[in-house]
Amino acid sequence: MNKLTEKSFPEGFLWGGATAANQLEGGFQEGNKGLNVADVLPGGKGRLQILKNPGFDFEINTEKYTYPNHEAVDFYHRYKEDIALFAEMNFKCFRMSIAWTRIFPNGDDPEPNEEGLAFYDRVFDELIKHGIEPLVTIAHYDMPVHLVKNYGGWRNRDVIVLFERYVKTIFTRYKDKVKYWLTFNEINSGHEMPVQGLGFAIQEESDKYQPTFQAFHHQFVASSLAVKYCHEIIPEAKIGCMILYIPTYSIDCNPANILYAQQESRFLNNFCTDVQVRGEYPSFIRRYFKEHHIQLEIQDGDLELIKQYPVDFISFSYYMSRTEKREKDASEAMEGNIVAGVKNPFLDVTEWGWEVDPIGLRITLNELYDRYQKPLFLVENGLGANDKVEKDGSINDDYRIAYIRDHIIQMKEAIEDGVELMGYTSWGPIDLVSAGTGEMSKRYGYIYVDKHDDGSGTLERKRKKSFYWYKNVIATNGEQL
Ligand code: BG6
């Protein structure tokens, strides 16, 4: 089939699931692993508020809080069983991240930690044994705490050299096993969630602009270096950026609202992507920098490096859309994945208040492809929901099947629109710890894990109804939905 007649998923489409080390592995102090940001984040709905507290000290306080990421769902010990289940579902691809602190426990250690390197060798070998392609995120919300406390996170330019050491180490070690890489998970979320994305806490809202954008600049340089070394060390590999994409609608046809929605969208969805894909700071950001008194420190050679080493493809997460209006009061604010606007009267919401919008995915795919003309990879999408285990042990998650099915239909439409889509890895194919709230009860999986918000549970794995459904979707390359 050529691109002009393509009406379905291309051959070799990378179906699978996506995870992150800190939400999946557990074993937070095993194998000489050092502490990372996720290890010090308390569980529960108040997590984001605690993070926004100017006094947040990146310390563990077990008397006050619980820390679900410490054990997570114990992939560290159960990876063989879990990968066998992914293989049973016909996965072609598995997105995972390497925990930086398993490789460099403090971030600035002169030598890597062999136990950490060997762990990922075992995981990659197991995936390859089952014919599953690893797709590896280099940094997924887990900066070493030592770099946070002693360097100030990504604000500090010295972190670039440490990151360079880390990426060279993993590219060299895994060059025969991993052909798909991603740089920073949801890099653009750093503006809203600097603790997780950029490795520092903001004290005052008004103080956030200069350090946030300086940290972004350091990440852009680091990302270009990762592309450079990836191509040098593994010439046949592809490396992508990873962004949080939320298409932004205007509440109505008032031009003032349309303009506002356009500006919000460009800021969230395009700023980082423009730099990482086009290799240049977009012109629209100049005005923002001026109005917020941001003066980046850019060293000689930085901009040339960014221009010379853009990413090969664009990966992104898509969970919801957002609807905006220029003037709104706080009572109108919606819940959402990191950012949210006002209520869209045409959309239902999940139990966690995220608006469900499959057509928004088609809009997203078209917006991204029109602007960048680079291959796209949807590496996160899914429904966080409470699941009920019936008396007979079954879990009938028809709502999850409906959500994923509706989104796959829109992916198919977008492919017909001419979009080049490499694959689909839905979020959390096995239940794992939520990033936003640290809850276990917000489940995304096709595989249920017996683990609960209070830390209880046997960690036993069970196949949900969606497990069998997704297995067949992959077996038919998306023809039977
Ligand atoms: C993305 C993150 O923002 O959304 C994941 O990359 C996260 O780490 C996912 O888990 C879903 O969000 P949450 O808060 O429901 O876990």
Side-chain angles (χ1 to χ4, degrees):
M1 229 185 292
N2 68 36
K3 270 195 73 63
L4 284 177
T5 56
E6 204 155 57
K7 285 203 169 49
S8 198
F9 292 97
E11 233 171 85
F13 189 77
L14 292 167
W15 295 99
T19 60
N22 74 82
Q23 294 168 257
L24 180 74
E25 285 176 6
F28 87 114
Q29 284 179 318
E30 291 184 59
N32 295 325
K33 180 182 157 295
L35 275 189
N36 64 38
V37 164
D39 294 324
V40 299
L41 296 186
K45 289 204 195 293
R47 175 182 273 198
L48 289 180
Q49 270 326 105
I50 296 164
L51 293 183
K52 286 184 183 157
N53 178 343
F56 184 62
D57 55 5
F58 295 88
E59 294 287 344
I60 293 175
N61 181 346
T62 45
E63 304 209 333
K64 233 169 142 184
Y65 303 119
T66 57
Y67 293 89
N69 300 64
H70 290 184
E71 184 187 43
V73 294
D74 198 31
F75 180 82
Y76 189 67
H77 297 109
R78 294 165 195 253
Y79 65 91
K80 285 194 180 178
E81 178 188 351
D82 294 342
I83 292 171
L85 286 164
F86 300 150
E88 192 183 324
M89 266 191 287
N90 298 313
F91 274 27
K92 309 283 179 229
C93 178
F94 177 57
R95 177 178 173 223
M96 52 180 276
S97 70
I98 292 179
W100 188 349
T101 51
R102 283 203 192 281
I103 311 302
F104 288 97
N106 296 296
D108 62 356
D109 319 66
E111 295 300 328
N113 168 35
E114 179 52 35
E115 269 200 71
L117 287 167
F119 169 67
Y120 292 109
D121 264 324
R122 293 195 294 276
V123 173
F124 296 142
D125 288 343
E126 197 65 20
L127 289 167
I128 292 163
K129 185 175 105 189
H130 287 285
I132 301 174
E133 194 78 58
L135 164 65
V136 175
T137 318
I138 296 168
H140 193 129
Y141 293 160
D142 65 351
M143 188 169 209
V145 166
H146 177 76
L147 298 188
V148 170
K149 289 189 178 170
N150 297 284
Y151 289 72
W154 277 101
R155 271 177 301 192
N156 187 336
R157 193 175 171 104
D158 293 346
V159 170
I160 298 176
V161 179
L162 304 173
F163 184 80
E164 212 178 324
R165 189 186 301 168
Y166 166 52
V167 297
K168 276 186 183 169
T169 303
I170 57 176
F171 291 154
T172 306
R173 177 76 171 220
Y174 305 123
K175 64 179 188 309
D176 297 324
K177 301 180 182 179
V178 181
K179 307 296 175 199
Y180 293 96
W181 296 89
L182 305 177
T183 54
F184 295 97
N185 181 63
E186 294 186 335
I187 184 167
N188 52 333
S189 70
H191 187 258
E192 300 299 322
M193 298 206 311
V195 167
Q196 277 154 312
L198 303 174
F200 56 86
I202 294 294
Q203 306 297 315
E204 293 290 336
E205 183 68 15
S206 56
D207 291 341
K208 92 175 190 189
Y209 299 101
Q210 181 68 30
T212 298
F213 285 88
Q214 192 60 51
F216 272 141
H217 180 70
H218 295 152
Q219 288 192 329
F220 296 146
V221 172
S223 164
S224 296
L225 286 168
V227 173
K228 172 175 155 49
Y229 294 123
C230 181
H231 288 168
E232 284 173 9
I233 299 170
I234 328 176
E236 70 280 24
K238 299 259 178 261
I239 180 162
C241 58
M242 185 341 188
I243 52 164
L244 160 76
Y245 201 98
I246 305 188
T248 309
Y249 311 141
S250 167
I251 188 77
D252 57 24
C253 53
N254 177 345
N257 287 331
I258 293 177
L259 179 68
Y260 182 71
Q262 184 194 52
Q263 287 173 333
E264 287 290 298
S265 177
R266 279 201 313 199
F267 183 74
L268 176 76
N269 297 317
N270 298 126
F271 165 59
C272 294
T273 329
D274 281 0
V275 182
Q276 290 188 287
V277 177
R278 293 171 160 174
E280 282 172 15
Y281 277 86
S283 51
F284 70 78
I285 206 68
R286 274 188 231 138
R287 179 170 187 166
Y288 184 89
F289 282 0
K290 202 161 109 198
E291 287 174 359
H292 294 87
H293 313 291
I294 297 165
Q295 284 199 313
L296 291 188
E297 282 173 33
I298 297 179
Q299 289 195 0
D300 285 353
D302 284 0
L303 297 180
E304 291 75 9
L305 187 85
I306 289 171
K307 186 74 194 166
Q308 202 181 345
Y309 296 104
V311 290
D312 301 319
F313 66 94
I314 300 167
S315 83
F316 65 101
S317 62
Y318 176 81
Y319 292 90
M320 49 171 244
S321 57
R322 155 193 185 194
T323 302
E324 278 296 356
K325 65 182 196 187
R326 194 177 174 79
E327 279 167 26
K328 55 180 185 276
D329 59 60
S331 65
E332 293 177 281
M334 295 289 293
E335 303 279 322
N337 187 12
I338 304 172
V339 292
V342 299
K343 173 87 194 117
N344 182 327
F346 300 98
L347 301 177
D348 291 333
V349 294
T350 70
E351 290 170 272
W352 270 261
W354 296 16
E355 285 181 325
V356 178
D357 182 9
I359 292 176
L361 174 57
R362 181 171 172 193
I363 293 169
T364 294
L365 287 159
N366 277 285
E367 282 181 354
L368 275 170
Y369 199 65
D370 279 353
R371 189 173 178 107
Y372 300 110
Q373 268 111 45
K374 286 262 185 182
L376 306 178
F377 201 147
L378 178 50
V379 297
E380 276 190 41
N381 166 247
L383 177 68
N386 279 298
D387 288 331
K388 183 166 171 243
V389 184
E390 303 294 344
K391 284 209 181 78
D392 64 0
S394 63
I395 299 139
N396 299 309
D397 55 343
D398 293 295
Y399 38 89
R400 181 167 295 108
I401 294 173
Y403 179 101
I404 304 268
R405 174 191 289 130
D406 290 349
H407 285 78
I408 293 177
I409 289 170
Q410 296 303 322
M411 281 160 37
K412 233 178 185 175
E413 292 292 336
I415 289 172
E416 200 166 343
D417 292 337
V419 168
E420 196 179 342
L421 186 61
M422 299 164 64
Y424 175 66
T425 55
S426 63
W427 179 248
I430 179 165
D431 293 344
L432 38 63
V433 180
S434 144
T437 59
E439 291 166 295
M440 269 311 302
S441 48
K442 191 178 187 189
R443 297 176 182 276
Y444 285 87
Y446 307 114
I447 301 163
Y448 181 90
V449 180
D450 183 37
K451 169 101 193 260
H452 307 282
D453 288 343
D454 63 1
S456 65
T458 61
L459 292 168
E460 188 200 344
R461 275 68 169 146
K462 285 180 199 292
R463 295 163 184 80
K464 304 182 194 175
K465 188 171 177 186
S466 57
F467 180 100
Y468 302 101
W469 174 80
Y470 194 48
K471 176 184 161 99
N472 188 52
V473 170
I474 301 179
T476 60
N477 199 26
E479 288 308 313
Q480 284 177 22
L481 294 172

